Amino acid sequence: YIGSPGHALHEAWNTLRTLANAAFAILLIFVVLSQVTGIGISNYGIKKMMPRLVTGVLMVNLSYFICQGAIDLSNLVGSGLGSLFEDLIIDSIPPEIGFSVSGGTALKTMIVAIISALIIKVKGLGYKIILLVILGVIVVAVAVFMLFVVAVVRQALCILLVTFSPIAFVCYMLPGTKSIFDKWFSMFKGVLFAYPICSLMIYGGSYAGSVIY
């Protein structure tokens, strides 16, 4: 969720949307003058541009809510994957372990999964169990740290990309600037897929480890 109307992010987006609409107004005036005088854009060029112009105006003014919906969907998928694997991890913990992870966090769930797997394997391992414990702690620490870094970077990119989304859609419409929109869209897709992929890797890896052990 990136903030409702009145939020600081929405206000920043609204400022750039105003600039984008001003650019559309200037372009529309230029199109009208070209139609009247026959100088500038040809009739064929005007007919080709008008659908993109109309689409651009709509996308600019709806870009905040389009981005908000896409980010919310990404968050929903990511948290859904995390919850799914958490349930699978909990179900894979044998009853004799006796740990309770109700209401636990991702860190708690992963630690319980690793500890439970190690306890099951402790018989016959001797001092090797120490190496497994150390390895398990390292895996959990690295996973949580990476999740934190990705979350912080993703949040910062979300703010920047949503703020500049009106300008990106203007670049989509103007000739010769579509490459800027393509770069923005590529980054935005990366931000959307980051959370689900991280959830799949971290929670899925924890579940796979609990099964393997």
Side-chain angles (χ1 to χ4, degrees):
Y1 187 69
I2 59 174
S4 57
H7 191 272
L9 175 58
H10 183 269
E11 294 301 320
W13 168 84
N14 191 50
T15 299
L16 291 181
R17 183 190 63 167
T18 301
L19 296 176
N21 285 330
F24 279 128
I26 295 173
L27 180 60
L28 183 59
I29 293 174
F30 181 71
V31 169
V32 171
L33 291 176
S34 297
Q35 180 70 27
V36 172
T37 63
I39 302 174
I41 306 175
S42 64
N43 289 334
Y44 173 77
I46 293 175
K47 292 179 181 179
K48 186 177 180 181
M49 178 181 293
M50 286 308 296
R52 294 183 64 183
L53 180 61
V54 174
T55 302
V57 171
L58 291 175
M59 297 297 284
V60 162
N61 289 278
L62 296 176
S63 59
Y64 186 85
F65 305 99
I66 293 172
C67 293
Q68 184 182 52
I71 292 172
D72 286 345
L73 179 60
S74 171
N75 292 340
L76 181 62
V77 173
S79 60
L81 287 172
S83 298
L84 173 63
F85 281 110
E86 275 189 349
D87 293 339
L88 292 174
I89 292 172
I90 294 172
D91 292 339
S92 68
I93 298 175
E96 62 268 21
I97 299 303
F99 288 129
S100 174
V101 293
S102 58
T105 61
L107 176 61
K108 184 177 179 181
T109 303
M110 287 188 289
I111 290 176
V112 169
I114 291 173
I115 292 177
S116 63
L118 294 177
I119 291 177
I120 294 298
K121 291 293 184 179
V122 67
K123 293 182 179 180
L125 288 179
Y127 291 104
K128 293 181 180 179
I129 189 64
I130 299 177
L131 296 178
L132 288 176
V133 170
I134 294 175
L135 179 60
V137 171
I138 292 175
V139 169
V140 171
V142 171
V144 172
F145 176 75
M146 291 302 298
L147 185 62
F148 173 76
V149 171
V150 170
V152 171
V153 173
R154 180 177 181 268
Q155 183 67 21
L157 286 176
C158 281
I159 293 173
L160 290 175
L161 292 172
V162 172
T163 301
F164 287 94
S165 58
I167 305 301
F169 284 111
V170 170
C171 292
Y172 168 78
M173 187 213 59
L174 295 177
T177 58
K178 189 174 180 296
S179 60
I180 299 177
F181 169 82
D182 292 337
K183 292 179 181 178
W184 175 89
F185 187 64
S186 177
M187 292 182 64
F188 189 63
K189 284 194 300 183
V191 166
L192 293 181
F193 283 110
Y195 183 30
I197 290 175
C198 283
S199 293
L200 184 61
M201 292 176 61
I202 293 176
Y203 289 97
S206 299
Y207 173 66
S210 67
V211 172
I212 293 172
Y213 281 127

